[in-house]
């Protein structure tokens, strides 16, 4: 059903799907499914609703207690990890699998075209380093270990690529991650 934008705020959705737990959920009865995003349930992050920190990936307790919220998990061990840090999430998880892993498996037959697109010769191995953003990330704390790993790899056997999200520079000096890593990532 199409509705004018002005009416959207007056319609109760059913359900709400979000990749962020840090949203203002409208009043009502519709269920809320928080999809996996980032590192999972093991990082303390600043709480935008109160002073102090909160567990990343977890909605406010009031939403859990209302029975509306479900936290999507990628594997059974993730539920155990979550409950050890946040027992109020008991009974509020939904095992959905790992869509990234599923995509990797499903695209295995395209590996050669991916390698060509990334400039990786046939006889070379690809090493991908990934980091989240902010001052507590690998990039934000110290890019040195990653640079040392890359420097130790023989250039005639390996190629490297960095995978980072667009927020990589947030909370740090603008462009710092690109500037500080660039010399260490060249060539290959």
């Amino acid at each position: 059903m199409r509705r004018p934008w002005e009416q959207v705020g007056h319609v109760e959705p059913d359900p709400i799907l979000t990749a962020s737990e840090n949203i203002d959920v409208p009043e009502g009865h519709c269920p809320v499914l928080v999809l996996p995003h980032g590192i999972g349930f093991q990082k303390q992050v600043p709480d935008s609703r109160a002073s102090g920190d909160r567990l990343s990936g977890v909605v406010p307790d009031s939403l859990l207690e209302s029975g509306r919220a479900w936290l999507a998990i990628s594997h059974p061990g993730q539920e155990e990890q979550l409950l050890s840090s946040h027992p109020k999430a008991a009974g509020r998880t939904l095992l959905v699998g790992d869509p990234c892993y599923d995509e990797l498996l499903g695209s295995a037959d395209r590996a050669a075209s991916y390698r060509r697109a990334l400039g990786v010769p046939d006889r070379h191995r690809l090493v991908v380093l990934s980091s989240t953003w902010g001052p507590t990330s690998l990039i934000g704390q110290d890019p040195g270990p990653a640079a040392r790993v890359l420097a130790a790899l023989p250039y005639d056997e390996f190629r490297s690529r960095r995978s980072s999200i667009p927020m990589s520079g947030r909370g740090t000096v603008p462009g710092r991650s690109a500037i500080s890593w660039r010399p260490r990532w060249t060539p290959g």
Side-chain angles (χ1 to χ4, degrees):
M1 172 185 287
R2 299 177 100 192
R3 293 190 185 260
W5 183 250
E6 298 79 29
Q7 293 180 10
V8 170
H10 304 289
V11 176
E12 183 173 332
D14 185 35
I16 295 174
L17 304 176
T18 177
S20 174
E21 75 284 1
N22 199 22
I23 64 168
D24 291 324
V25 176
E27 296 293 325
H29 303 287
C30 65
V32 179
L33 178 61
V34 182
L35 301 171
H37 175 191
I39 197 165
F41 309 108
Q42 58 192 9
K43 182 177 182 180
Q44 293 291 319
V45 296
D47 191 340
S48 64
R49 293 180 174 95
S51 62
D53 293 338
R54 64 175 176 78
L55 187 61
S56 176
V58 179
V59 297
D61 287 344
S62 60
L63 191 56
L64 286 172
E65 293 164 357
S66 75
R68 291 178 59 200
W70 292 91
L71 303 174
I73 57 172
S74 58
H75 55 85
Q78 197 174 33
E79 180 178 35
E80 185 177 312
Q81 174 195 11
L82 169 61
L83 296 180
S84 72
S85 300
H86 202 84
K88 289 186 177 185
R92 305 309 312 161
T93 61
L94 183 64
L95 181 61
V96 299
D98 186 337
C100 295
Y101 182 70
D102 292 344
E103 183 62 29
L104 284 171
L105 286 179
S107 66
D109 62 332
R110 297 188 296 273
S113 65
Y114 294 155
R115 291 174 60 82
R116 279 191 303 277
L118 292 169
V120 180
D122 289 339
R123 297 169 313 282
H124 289 69
R125 298 196 60 179
L126 175 64
V127 175
V128 178
L129 295 178
S130 179
S131 177
T132 187
W133 56 275
T136 61
S137 69
L138 171 66
I139 295 171
Q141 287 184 10
D142 181 10
R148 287 191 294 278
V149 166
L150 296 175
L153 298 174
Y155 179 73
D156 58 346
E157 297 176 31
F158 292 88
R159 290 296 185 265
S160 62
R161 296 296 178 261
R162 181 180 79 174
S163 174
S164 57
I165 62 172
M167 298 284 287
S168 292
R170 184 174 179 207
T172 61
V173 177
R176 175 176 175 227
S177 63
I179 293 169
S180 64
W181 283 45
R182 188 173 294 129
R184 296 176 179 100
W185 286 78
T186 306

